[in-house]
């Protein structure tokens, strides 16, 4: 076992044994859902239904049901798409990059973060799909052979690169998530009784692929985890870089700037960690995981939020400065208009929630407070939505010809689809919390003796 | 304790002599080309030295343990920072005074910002609030003094920890490092705009600061790794095992790729959008010069692709596997390639904007580079002789010693 310095804080609290971990993690799966779960689920389900109706209406009547116009021809659709893709990013960083960095604290949060990635990407994928107008022709986004009619895709378009990047990202994330789940499904399988829950036992034994916990199984498990981490790490960069190129390859002032790829990646990690915190602070209460998701975990995530938030802030200031420095009047106007034009309030929300409020994490007592963290994580979620809105709508609404200048206001359907995806996301996440082991217990057990609080005291 | 071997001493002295000859030769034959050569070499070595400070700060704020057994190496590299800092200031001040044929910065030319004069350039005049010599020099002094201050402070904490022990030095190290990170994030980006990007005064790229940082990180890690391997070969650093070397190799690999990512992001977006005010920068590096109808072949074209390829292809292929990162001679090879590749890239950041079609890598450029290398070895190795090669009393020391991956 690896030596761990005494001064490191414990990552598992309470006098836990291996069996306690098993019991704690499988409890939500074996018991009945409590009141809070049902309240949250009902609320989310209502939003989800609203979303389904709005999407059905959009497909039935066309994109005209949205608030778009000839100048602002991209608005909430792509804003929501980028927002959801961004949220997914933290999952990949936690599962892949933090694995390569040997960060033990990732083990309590990676499962839920990866689930969040998958559910988030699923929401994001809905937007291009319904934006097509005729989603039954969605397969045209792939470069299918000419026998199917015609080759429709444009290889020069970043939108096509998105198709490849996001589908790769989605599949690697699912595989990564699933591999980690195998030993945990096996644990649940072994706890289920054939007499009381035969169906469940059969289901979990199917899902666990005959895992028996042999040394050979573990060796392969660790090997494949590392390989997948190596594959997923470039994906952390590529996906959001390509999303940023949807804008940056264009010659629209405010969109075309070279810092976009790394800045979008950092923004995505920033928003992703905020969403992980929002979810985990709820989950640890709802399914009693206080011993495993400790304030130290929250503090580490807050440090990452502080770092990425500050870098995103640096990028905002760099863009602002360079627009002046460039001497290009269109660039200068685009940024002046962002900060002081009719959408100044969106810019102000973005700056406050993404740059200013995360600076509060310099204070230890805020960084180590669940309540503060919960509030500030919501701030970041809001701020990052507005960041995309600012980039997209304010860059478009002042066209090159002043006669084309317009504003954007969302329709009832726009709002319904957006809130609907939030509902859908929570529906999926809440179902997941009742059917999956929400913490990677097999991995967590591997650090119990080095990072458990009781074991640390004994040394 | 480390003592400089006789061979190393002779080598560093010989290199310094070569550097001195190149310096005299360069300024005697063509001062106009010698200054840019001095600038890009200084940029290169300043990057290595300031990155060492960043490396230590990064280890503190991330609570990293693996690197504690090699901590003294970046601490020694930091001691080269004042030398490069002073040379950088000499270059900048002489540019501002147009001393000794120093015309690196076109925007410093007389009358360029005064309307009605022959030299007047409207676009450059629009940048006067930022590109004016007083503010420019004042900023540069602040960056360099600030970086030196933090490097001294971190080194002092480390030495005091050796002497007295206790957690207070470690905690204070985290605080100092966090402040350094903030200071460095701002200053390193602006320094890159000032010293390098403003050479092509019309051109701008928001990514430039991060691109330069990625380059400094790649060469910084390669240097740390090479010195570690050298010391290990001499029989020092008995607690550094294969796992530590492997970790350093991962960083060289990773930052070679991060640099490529930045390079690609900047190049691809500018190439794709093809906006005249941006694309000129790459045209100066890739297209033949047309001067009043005379076509002058572009010297930089080959170097441009060559440096990109060796900075990317070699590390990704040669360091991809786990075993490669534990194989000393492979690591040495890749680190040397990466250093040469980035040295060429540093040349390409400076030469086209200052020398146009007339730039080429010759004795002046290579000689100054070698001279710098000699000076670097002399100062860094001397710094290594003055302190024990392993820290004492660091709370993560034991964890670092037992690293096994």
């Amino acid at each position: 076992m690896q030596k761990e310095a005494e001064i490191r804080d414990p990552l598992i609290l309470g006098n836990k044994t291996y069996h306690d971990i098993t019991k704690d993690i499988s409890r939500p799966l074996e018991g009945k859902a409590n009141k809070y779960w049902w309240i949250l689920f009902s609320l989310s389900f209502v939003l989800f239904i609203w979303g389904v109706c709005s999407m059905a209406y959009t497909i039935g009547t066309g994109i005209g049901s949205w608030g778009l116009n000839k100048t602002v021809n991209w608005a909430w659709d792509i804003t929501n798409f980028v927002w959801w893709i961004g949220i997914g990013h933290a999952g990949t960083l936690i599962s892949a990059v933090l694995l390569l960095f040997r960060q033990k604290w990732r083990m309590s949060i990676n499962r839920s973060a990866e689930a969040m990635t998958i559910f988030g990407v699923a929401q994001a994928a809905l937007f291009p799909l319904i934006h097509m107008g005729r989603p039954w022709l969605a397969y045209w986004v792939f470069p299918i052979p000419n026998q199917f009619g015609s080759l429709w895709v444009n290889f020069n378009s970043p939108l096509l690169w998105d198709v490849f990047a996001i589908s790769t990202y989605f599949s690697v994330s699912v595989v990564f998530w699933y591999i980690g789940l195998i030993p945990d499904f096996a644990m649940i399988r072994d706890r289920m009784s054939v007499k009381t829950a035969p169906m469940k036992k059969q289901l979990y034994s199917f899902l666990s692929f005959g895992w028996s916990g042999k040394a050979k199984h573990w060796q392969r498990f660790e090997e494949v985890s590392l390989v997948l981490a190596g594959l997923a790490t470039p994906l952390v960069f590529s996906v959001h870089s390509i999303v940023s190129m949807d804008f940056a390859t264009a010659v629209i002032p405010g969109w075309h700037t070279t810092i976009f790829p790394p800045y979008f990646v950092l923004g995505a990690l920033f928003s992703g960690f905020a969403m992980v915190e929002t979810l985990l602070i709820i989950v640890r209460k709802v399914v009693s995981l206080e011993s495993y998701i400790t304030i130290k975990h929250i503090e580490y995530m807050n440090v990452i939020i502080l770092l990425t938030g500050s870098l995103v802030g640096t990028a905002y200031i760099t863009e602002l400065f360079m627009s002046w420095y460039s001497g290009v009047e269109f660039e200068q106007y685009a940024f002046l208009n962002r900060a002081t034009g009719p959408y100044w309030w969106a810019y102000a929300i973005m700056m406050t929630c993404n740059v200013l409020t995360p600076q509060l994490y310099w204070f230890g007592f805020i960084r180590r407070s669940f309540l503060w963290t919960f509030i500030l994580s919501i701030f970041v979620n809001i701020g990052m939505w507005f960041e995309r809105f600012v980039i997209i709508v304010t860059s478009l609404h002042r066209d090159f010809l002043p006669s084309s200048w317009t504003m954007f206001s969302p329709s009832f359907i726009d709002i319904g689809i957006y809130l609907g995806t939030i509902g859908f996301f929570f529906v999926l996440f809440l179902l997941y919390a009742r059917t999956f082991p929400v913490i990677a217990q097999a991995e967590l057990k591997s650090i119990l003796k080095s990072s458990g609080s009781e074991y640390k005291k004994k040394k | 304790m480390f003592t400089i071997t006789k061979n190393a001493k002779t080598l560093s002295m010989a290199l310094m002599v070569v550097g001195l000859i190149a310096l005299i030769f360069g300024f005697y034959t063509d001062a106009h080309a010698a200054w840019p050569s001095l600038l890009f070499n200084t940029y290169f070595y300043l990057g290595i030295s300031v990155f060492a400070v960043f490396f230590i700060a990064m280890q503190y704020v991330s609570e990293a343990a693996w690197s504690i057994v090699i901590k003294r190496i970046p601490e020694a590299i930091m001691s080269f920072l004042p030398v490069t800092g002073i040379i950088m200031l000499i270059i900048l001040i002489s540019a501002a005074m147009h001393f000794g044929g120093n015309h690196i910065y076109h925007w410093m030319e007389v009358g360029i910002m005064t309307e009605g004069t022959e030299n007047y350039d409207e676009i450059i005049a629009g940048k006067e609030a930022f590109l004016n010599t007083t503010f420019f020099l004042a900023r540069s002094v602040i960056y360099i003094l600030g970086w030196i201050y933090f490097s001294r402070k971190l080194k002092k904490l480390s030495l005091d920890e050796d002497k007295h022990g206790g957690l207070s030095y470690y905690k204070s190290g985290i605080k100092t490092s966090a402040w350094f990170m903030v200071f460095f994030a701002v200053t390193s980006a602006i320094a890159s705009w000032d010293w390098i990007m403003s050479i092509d005064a019309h051109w701008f790229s928001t990514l430039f600061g991060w691109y330069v940082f990625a380059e400094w990180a790649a060469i910084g890690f390669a240097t740390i790794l090479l010195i570690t391997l050298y010391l290990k070969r001499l029989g020092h650093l008995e607690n550094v095992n294969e796992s530590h070397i492997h970790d350093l190799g991962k960083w060289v690999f990773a930052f070679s790729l991060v640099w490529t990512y930045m390079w690609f992001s900047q190049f691809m977006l500018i190439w794709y959008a093809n906006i005249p005010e941006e694309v000129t920068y790459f045209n100066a590096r890739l297209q033949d010069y047309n001067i009043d109808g005379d076509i002058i072949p572009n010297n930089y074209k080959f170097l441009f692709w060559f440096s990109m390829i060796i900075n990317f292809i070699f590390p990704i292929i040669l360091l991809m596997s786990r075993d490669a990162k534990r194989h000393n001679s492979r690591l040495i090879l890749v680190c040397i390639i990466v250093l040469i590749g980035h040295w060429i890239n540093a040349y390409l950041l400076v030469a086209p904007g200052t020398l146009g079609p007339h730039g080429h890598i010759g004795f002046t450029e290579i000689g100054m580079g070698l001279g710098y290398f000699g000076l670097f070895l002399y100062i860094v190795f001397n710094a290594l002789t003055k302190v024990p090669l392993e820290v004492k009393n660091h709370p993560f020391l034991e964890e670092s010693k037992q690293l096994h991956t």
Side-chain angles (χ1 to χ4, degrees):
Chain A
M1 191 178 64
Q2 264 188 358
K3 157 98 189 159
E4 185 176 292
E6 285 81 30
I7 63 157
R8 290 197 191 275
D9 288 327
L11 294 171
I12 301 170
L13 300 178
N15 193 5
K16 298 286 178 191
T17 60
Y18 288 132
H19 187 59
D20 291 337
I21 296 182
T22 307
K23 277 197 298 191
D24 289 344
I25 310 296
S26 44
R27 193 183 309 116
L29 283 77
E30 292 166 356
K32 289 237 182 306
N34 61 19
K35 197 167 64 189
Y36 300 107
W37 189 90
W38 279 110
I39 294 173
L40 273 175
F41 186 79
S42 316
L43 277 174
S44 316
F45 198 73
V46 170
L47 284 180
F48 170 53
I49 294 299
W50 184 11
V52 170
C53 296
S54 304
M55 286 180 206
Y57 186 78
T58 301
I59 293 167
T61 57
I63 305 300
S65 59
W66 297 356
L68 303 175
N69 54 57
K70 67 181 166 25
T71 306
V72 184
N73 43 27
W74 250 10
W76 277 36
D77 39 25
I78 190 102
T79 304
N80 299 336
F81 164 77
V82 180
W83 189 68
W84 278 119
I85 292 275
I87 282 172
H89 260 64
T92 325
L93 183 97
I94 291 170
S95 54
V97 180
L98 295 188
L99 177 72
L100 296 181
F101 282 172
R102 302 190 290 264
Q103 298 297 307
K104 292 177 178 172
W105 58 278
R106 78 181 257 290
M107 291 170 187
S108 296
I109 55 171
N110 68 337
R111 176 68 41 76
S112 296
E114 289 164 28
M116 183 195 76
T117 297
I118 291 160
F119 303 148
V121 175
Q123 306 312 318
L126 281 172
F127 287 94
L129 199 68
I130 52 176
H131 201 174
M132 287 171 191
R134 284 179 284 175
W136 49 92
L137 296 179
Y139 63 94
W140 284 9
V141 301
F142 296 107
I144 44 174
N146 278 353
Q147 288 91 318
F148 285 88
S150 184
L151 186 68
W152 285 99
V153 298
N154 175 5
F155 285 100
N156 292 333
S157 165
L159 296 175
L160 179 68
W161 312 341
D162 261 344
V163 173
F164 300 138
I166 292 169
S167 50
T168 313
Y169 175 56
F170 186 73
S171 23
V172 171
S173 299
V174 170
V175 173
F176 210 153
W177 191 50
Y178 199 85
I179 299 282
L181 276 165
I182 291 174
D184 292 8
F185 279 147
M187 177 274 281
I188 296 165
R189 170 200 66 195
D190 296 343
R191 285 174 60 84
M192 297 269 172
S193 141
V194 192
K195 282 190 193 126
T196 54
M199 291 286 282
K200 271 192 180 175
K201 187 167 175 101
Q202 220 166 16
L203 179 72
Y204 282 109
S205 72
F206 173 74
L207 292 173
S208 56
F209 287 179
W211 176 274
S212 66
K214 287 183 205 155
K216 198 72 197 166
H217 287 181
W218 280 112
Q219 189 216 342
R220 294 209 166 113
F221 176 85
E222 296 208 347
E223 238 169 66
V224 82
S225 301
L226 273 179
V227 169
L228 283 172
L231 286 172
T233 303
L235 289 175
V236 175
F237 287 85
S238 76
V239 175
H240 232 63
S241 298
I242 289 174
V243 167
S244 84
M245 287 169 193
D246 292 346
F247 309 101
T249 51
V251 288
I252 306 287
W255 284 8
H256 175 72
T257 182
T258 49
I259 206 170
F260 256 34
Y263 144 58
F264 264 53
V265 171
L266 289 166
L269 297 175
F270 178 58
S271 69
F273 269 95
M275 190 55 107
V276 172
E277 287 189 335
T278 312
L279 289 176
L280 286 182
I281 289 177
I282 299 173
V283 166
R284 75 187 279 281
K285 274 282 163 213
V286 173
V287 290
S288 317
L289 296 173
E290 286 91 341
S291 301
Y292 306 104
I293 300 167
T294 70
I295 196 65
K296 193 67 197 170
H297 292 86
I298 298 292
E299 188 181 3
Y300 281 135
M301 287 195 268
N302 284 336
V303 171
I304 294 183
I305 287 189
L306 176 60
L307 172 76
T308 48
S310 305
L311 285 172
V312 164
T314 319
Y316 293 159
I317 307 292
T318 304
E319 277 192 306
L320 206 60
F321 171 79
M322 281 297 167
S323 68
W324 167 79
Y325 177 87
S326 72
V328 180
E329 62 173 322
F330 302 107
E331 282 287 324
Q332 290 174 342
Y333 176 76
F335 280 87
L336 188 71
N337 179 52
R338 251 183 211 184
T340 60
Y343 281 114
W344 66 270
W345 49 273
Y347 189 79
I349 293 174
M350 170 187 108
M351 278 291 186
T352 313
C353 296
N354 292 348
V355 185
L356 297 180
T357 54
Q359 300 303 320
L360 289 172
Y361 286 139
W362 283 105
F363 301 105
F365 75 95
I366 290 181
R367 209 163 58 221
R368 287 186 287 270
S369 147
F370 286 108
L371 183 64
W372 272 106
T373 302
F374 188 70
I375 296 169
L376 290 177
S377 75
I378 303 279
F379 267 62
V380 174
N381 289 326
I382 296 171
M384 283 308 289
W385 188 86
F386 272 97
E387 180 202 288
R388 279 65 175 250
F389 180 79
V390 165
I391 292 172
I392 292 154
V393 173
T394 66
S395 303
L396 286 175
H397 84 128
R398 289 292 175 257
D399 211 338
F400 288 102
L401 284 177
S403 59
S404 317
W405 289 7
T406 61
M407 296 289 284
F408 172 83
S409 47
S411 71
F412 182 74
I413 302 292
D414 274 315
I415 299 169
I417 294 176
Y418 176 48
L419 296 180
T421 53
I422 295 180
F424 192 13
F425 177 77
F426 275 95
V427 164
L428 290 172
F429 198 83
L430 288 166
L431 288 175
Y432 147 85
R434 299 275 312 129
T435 46
F436 284 68
V438 289
I439 285 182
Q441 55 87 27
E443 285 185 78
L444 194 67
K445 283 173 182 166
S446 71
I447 61 162
L448 177 65
K449 289 194 173 168
S450 65
S451 308
S453 61
E454 290 305 306
Y455 286 94
K456 282 187 89 78
K457 269 183 219 155
K458 277 181 207 150
K459 274 183 216 161
Chain B
M1 290 293 269
F2 169 70
T3 45
I4 307 176
T5 62
K6 215 171 154 215
N7 286 345
K9 204 169 219 164
T10 327
L11 177 73
S12 72
M13 290 295 177
L15 288 170
M16 279 193 274
V17 172
V18 173
L20 196 63
I21 296 170
L23 199 70
I24 295 166
F25 171 81
F27 278 98
Y28 183 71
T29 52
D30 185 3
H32 181 60
W35 282 109
S37 166
L38 193 60
L39 175 66
F40 90 83
N41 277 302
T42 308
Y43 156 86
F44 185 83
Y45 283 95
L46 178 64
I48 292 176
S49 348
V50 74
F51 180 77
V53 191
F54 181 86
F55 178 86
I56 289 171
M58 182 172 75
Q59 307 309 311
Y60 270 116
V61 296
S62 63
E63 299 179 8
W66 69 275
S67 58
I68 303 307
V69 290
I70 56 147
K71 193 160 173 267
R72 280 287 138 81
I73 295 165
E75 280 176 17
I77 297 176
M78 291 186 322
S79 55
F80 199 50
L81 187 55
V83 179
T84 49
I86 288 167
I87 299 176
M88 185 55 97
L89 287 177
I90 292 173
I91 299 171
L92 302 178
I93 291 168
S94 73
M97 294 166 64
H98 306 291
F99 169 78
N102 186 337
H103 294 284
I104 292 176
Y105 300 101
H106 178 60
W107 58 268
M108 286 180 176
E109 295 305 308
V110 181
I112 202 154
M113 302 201 186
T114 335
E115 217 172 335
T117 56
E118 195 189 336
N119 270 343
Y120 180 66
D121 183 320
E122 198 191 333
I123 295 172
I124 293 177
K127 306 182 186 201
E128 197 180 353
F130 184 71
L131 291 185
N132 64 74
T133 43
T134 326
F135 187 24
F136 177 85
L137 292 177
R139 284 196 302 265
S140 297
V141 171
I142 292 171
Y143 319 141
I144 290 167
L145 287 183
W147 298 342
I148 293 173
Y149 164 77
F150 279 107
S151 73
R152 294 261 152 119
K153 176 105 200 254
L154 286 170
K155 185 153 188 177
K156 185 164 182 303
L157 283 172
S158 179
L159 295 176
D160 285 352
E161 192 177 54
D162 270 18
K163 259 185 253 156
H164 311 296
L167 278 181
S168 61
Y169 300 102
Y170 167 71
K171 286 188 175 147
S172 161
I174 295 182
K175 282 215 173 83
T176 312
S177 302
W179 281 112
F180 171 75
M181 290 288 200
V182 175
F183 181 75
F184 185 71
V186 177
T187 51
S188 68
I190 307 179
S192 75
W193 305 341
D194 279 346
W195 300 339
I196 308 293
M197 197 172 85
S198 85
I199 291 172
D200 300 271
H202 281 209
W203 184 75
F204 54 91
S205 168
T206 41
L207 187 57
F208 202 79
W210 293 358
Y211 170 67
V212 162
F213 170 73
E215 177 149 279
W216 284 356
I219 56 180
F221 280 121
T223 310
I224 294 172
L225 178 50
L226 280 177
I227 296 179
T228 308
L229 289 175
Y230 175 73
L231 292 176
K232 189 104 188 96
R233 189 175 221 160
L234 292 182
H236 300 286
L237 302 174
E238 66 273 13
N239 283 315
V240 173
N241 60 37
E242 271 194 330
S243 299
H244 299 100
I245 303 291
H246 184 185
D247 280 353
L248 278 170
K250 284 180 204 165
W251 279 115
V252 173
F253 177 77
F255 265 89
S256 294
L257 298 193
V258 169
W259 175 85
T260 313
Y261 167 67
M262 299 290 179
W263 184 97
F264 179 77
S265 299
Q266 184 166 283
F267 179 78
M268 196 282 281
L269 289 174
I270 289 176
W271 166 79
Y272 193 110
N274 203 16
I275 300 175
E277 57 259 29
E278 286 184 350
V279 87
T280 56
Y281 185 78
F282 291 110
N283 282 348
R285 282 149 182 81
L286 291 171
Q287 284 189 349
D288 292 345
Y289 286 85
N290 181 344
I291 293 170
D292 304 327
D294 291 338
I295 304 293
I296 303 176
N298 194 319
N299 287 335
Y300 309 116
K301 195 161 50 187
F302 170 74
L303 292 175
F304 183 83
W305 295 116
F306 179 69
S307 71
M308 197 273 152
I309 287 167
I310 67 171
N311 285 336
F312 170 53
I313 304 286
F314 280 83
I316 196 175
I317 292 176
L318 295 177
L319 284 189
M320 176 77 87
S321 80
R322 179 179 190 274
D323 290 348
K325 292 190 274 286
R326 289 168 175 252
H327 197 270
N328 292 358
S329 56
R330 177 73 64 89
L331 286 168
I332 293 170
L333 174 71
V334 175
C335 288
I336 292 173
I337 289 174
V338 164
L339 287 170
I340 293 174
H342 284 287
W343 183 82
I344 296 173
N345 189 61
Y347 170 77
L348 287 173
L349 291 176
V350 172
T354 47
L355 303 171
H358 311 295
H360 66 275
I361 292 186
F363 175 64
T364 312
E365 286 75 17
I366 295 171
M368 281 189 196
L370 292 177
Y372 245 122
F373 181 48
L375 193 61
F376 177 84
L377 286 185
Y378 183 79
I379 289 178
V380 173
F381 281 5
N382 255 320
L384 282 171
T385 58
K386 298 214 175 77
V387 288
L389 286 178
E390 190 170 274
V391 298
K392 283 198 273 284
N393 304 325
H394 192 290
F396 290 147
L397 181 60
E398 217 32 59
E399 192 180 325
S400 179
K401 280 184 187 170
Q402 296 190 25
L403 179 74
H404 176 76
T405 56

